[in-house]
Amino acid sequence: MLEKKKDADGDTSYSISVGPVHPALKEPVKLNMSIEGEKVTGVDFELSQVHRGVEWMGTRRNPIQIMFLAERICGICNICHIMAFSKAVENAAGIEVPARASYIRTIAAELERIHSHVLWAGVAAHELGFDSVMHYTWKLRENVLDTIEYLTGNRITKAIVTIGGVRRDIHEKQVPRLKETTDYYLKSFDKLGKIFLKDPVVKSRCRDTGILTKKEALVTCAVGPTARASGVRKDIRVDETYAAYPELDMKPMMPDMVTGETRGDVYDRIITRLLEVKQSAEIINDCLNQMPEGKIVYEEKIPKLLAELKGVEGEGTGRLEAPRGEVFHYVKMVGEDSPYAWKVRAPTYNNMLAWVPMLMNEQIADIPIIAASIDPCMSCTNRAVVAGKTSSILTQENLHRLSVEKTRKIREALK
Amino acid sequence: MITMQKELFRQLFKRAFTNQFPAKHAPKSVNALLEAVGKGKAKLNPPVPVPENFRGKIAYDKNKCIGCQLCVKVCPANAVVFKPKEKKISYHTFRCTFCGECVNVCPVKCLTFTDEFLLADYKKD
Ligand code: SF4
Ligand code: SF4
């Protein structure tokens, strides 16, 4: 849709809206942009086209069932949701996870980070127009997917985490295969670095494109690699203690480790993610070396665990670092089979706000790569939908009016 | 780009990385090919083998089942339905998410994983 406008000086600007469903978009989102010539002068977006009611379904299921539902919030970074949910329930119920289980959770989460970042690198190459690079990077990704299948039984949804621990152990005979995988990625890191960072075309397309300054990153509450590429030292794996991360020697990956400076552009975001692939491989190696023996789950008998969880009253939160940034789950239990409330916040929710400063004053042709540079995931982000109203914009007054109306309706019903 | 060109050139001489298509060339008639396979006259390329402990289609041993309904209670997708008259369950492959919670919880181990994963079909059961 194209709309023409003339401002006071007689300059013509156009407003373009793309989406919600558009061949160039992989997931539904509506982007509204004002364009002057080739330059983007205004950015706005509308979400909520893929609301699936996951949380609503959750409040009608028991915690064991919710785990697998949570895992299906995102197809790419699924373990972070099942882990954050389990962590929230463990937090509410005061359950302690055995040490060995923490290590196995860490290994599974890092395998996922490798696969997610390598997948993203392929998407970025595709957005730049390098399709053979995309297929090549996705070929590199196959190795980690096969290893995940070998460890957990399926390539994508791992179903390895459970409340109070993990469901499958890593046996002695599985270790060599894991080591092979980490070696493979430590080796491919150099290749990926050469293809993405040394290439003059990639460099000129990505350097100083889609800049997000440190201040803007802080103001828009960006998380994960997007924030780190802008110089914000924020990594939940380091900032908070969960899984086996406190026992590992690690620090947030920042782009200035390679180039000596932080510009907060698309190039820096590529550097951060590639560095994290290497870091994940090293973390897995460390975990395999340090992993203690022992129990892998707090309570093996699921009916017993469910009975125990039924008695829990209280709130719990789970926060952790997914490949795209911080994931947050909140659970409230009131001594019933299903939780009273379950709330999820996925990282793209924060990172999308960063689109506005990033896209401002950029060229139209750079929109795809800038939009892709935060690694957006719409379906995970959509947590609410407005239905049954002609206007879908809820301002504060509108919300207030809705609330007053509801109170009145309830009052009338109670009369 | 030179790195990438080298990689691509090398790739030309390697075995295809992806899963093989079941037949080498598109057959004139799929039904005729399937018939020939059924009679043992033609062969299809098999899918990639799955690793040990793969989470595939669930097999149900009806005779062993004691009707305790634990699997019904834990199934996230409501893929297991209890039949009160027979005191047995029925399992819907098309709803199953292959999480394996029912396999873990079953006290008599009458639910097990199989290696089957090509489950597309016209019929529902
Ligand atoms: S594997 Fe999971 S989804 Fe499938 S029947 Fe068992 S519990 Fe249900
Ligand atoms: S858990 Fe096992 S024994 Fe119990 S109803 Fe299900 S299949 Fe039957």
Side-chain angles (χ1 to χ4, degrees), chain A residues 188-222:
Chain A
S188 352
F189 171 75
D190 294 332
K191 262 192 218 158
L192 280 174
K194 249 191 222 156
I195 293 171
F196 279 93
L197 303 178
K198 296 263 158 61
D199 185 70
V201 184
V202 175
K203 196 164 179 175
S204 56
R205 281 289 315 259
C206 300
R207 249 303 173 222
D208 296 324
T209 306
I211 292 184
L212 182 75
T213 61
K214 186 171 181 181
K215 188 162 165 242
E216 285 162 349
L218 288 170
V219 169
T220 54
C221 300

Side-chain angles (χ1 to χ4, degrees), chain B residues 88-121:
Chain B
K88 301 278 169 184
I89 57 150
S90 61
Y91 160 73
H92 299 284
T93 316
F94 293 94
R95 280 197 213 154
C96 179
T97 63
F98 310 103
C99 67
E101 202 62 50
C102 56
V103 177
N104 285 8
V105 83
C106 180
V108 290
K109 302 272 166 262
C110 63
L111 294 167
T112 41
F113 282 127
T114 61
D115 283 349
E116 220 180 307
F117 65 93
L118 296 170
L119 301 173
D121 208 338

Side-chain angles (χ1 to χ4, degrees), chain B residues 60-61 64-72 80 82 87-89 102 105-111:
Chain B
Y60 172 50
D61 183 349
K64 266 209 235 159
C65 175
I66 52 169
C68 68
Q69 293 192 53
L70 281 177
C71 53
V72 181
V80 199
F82 186 63
K87 292 217 166 40
K88 301 278 169 184
I89 57 150
C102 56
V105 83
C106 180
V108 290
K109 302 272 166 262
C110 63
L111 294 167

